[in-house]
């Protein structure tokens, strides 16, 4: 069970069909993938950063997709990863989503 700011008791569904995993927000629940808030089902790719509510962050691991990416890297068909621009944009988006929360500091203080 997860707890945190803007986290609903029934928040989202992770749907796995034929090797594809989608994150489906329920009833307008706050969900973000790679720093972008989603309102509709979103396909999750290896390494995606998922934020549920404002304080529960996860990195998505898809073992089969990760294995395919490793093989492509070994064969030289894929670069070593995201560019610094891609990483910077993702971090900027996540910061915007997380900094918008005025109650985050209060919740941290309550836990300490």
């Amino acid at each position: 069970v997860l707890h945190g700011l803007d986290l609903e008791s029934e928040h989202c569904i992770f749907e796995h069909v034929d090797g594809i995993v989608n994150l489906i927000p329920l009833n307008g629940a706050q969900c973000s993938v790679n720093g972008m808030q989603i309102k509709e089902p979103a396909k999750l790719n290896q390494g995606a950063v998922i934020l549920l509510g404002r304080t529960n962050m996860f990195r998505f691991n898809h073992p089969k997709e990760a294995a395919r990416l490793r093989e492509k890297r070994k064969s030289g068909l894929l670069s070593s990863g995201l560019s610094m621009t891609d990483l910077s944009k993702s971090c900027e988006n996540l910061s915007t989503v997380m900094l918008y929360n005025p109650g985050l500091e209060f919740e941290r203080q309550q836990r300490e």
Side-chain angles (χ1 to χ4, degrees), residues 70-85:
R70 276 193 301 275
E71 288 304 313
K72 284 184 178 181
R73 267 190 212 109
K74 285 180 187 176
S75 66
L77 296 175
L78 187 66
S79 67
S80 61
L82 293 172
S83 71
M84 290 308 289
T85 303

Side-chain angles (χ1 to χ4, degrees), residues 2-7 51-57 98 101-112:
L2 297 176
H3 299 282
L5 292 172
D6 293 330
L7 198 62
L51 182 63
L52 304 179
R54 295 204 186 264
T55 57
N56 293 277
M57 187 177 294
M98 293 180 80
N101 181 7
L104 184 57
E105 187 60 31
F106 176 76
E107 184 176 89
R108 280 189 197 140
Q109 290 173 355
Q110 293 300 326
R111 282 185 278 175
E112 295 175 353

Side-chain angles (χ1 to χ4, degrees), residues 8-13 23-31 39:
E8 308 297 329
S9 59
E10 292 190 15
H11 198 86
C12 63
I13 295 172
L23 172 61
I24 305 169
L26 298 177
N27 303 318
Q30 185 172 348
C31 299
K39 298 291 183 187

Side-chain angles (χ1 to χ4, degrees), residues 1-64:
V1 176
L2 297 176
H3 299 282
L5 292 172
D6 293 330
L7 198 62
E8 308 297 329
S9 59
E10 292 190 15
H11 198 86
C12 63
I13 295 172
F14 289 89
E15 177 186 66
H16 182 242
V17 177
D18 297 327
I20 296 172
V21 179
N22 288 295
L23 172 61
I24 305 169
L26 298 177
N27 303 318
Q30 185 172 348
C31 299
S32 298
V33 176
N34 295 329
M36 302 299 294
Q37 191 164 358
I38 62 167
K39 298 291 183 187
E40 302 292 326
K43 180 183 176 202
L44 298 176
N45 294 311
Q46 170 61 26
V49 177
I50 300 165
L51 182 63
L52 304 179
R54 295 204 186 264
T55 57
N56 293 277
M57 187 177 294
F58 307 91
R59 181 170 290 278
F60 176 69
N61 182 43
H62 192 301
K64 287 186 180 180

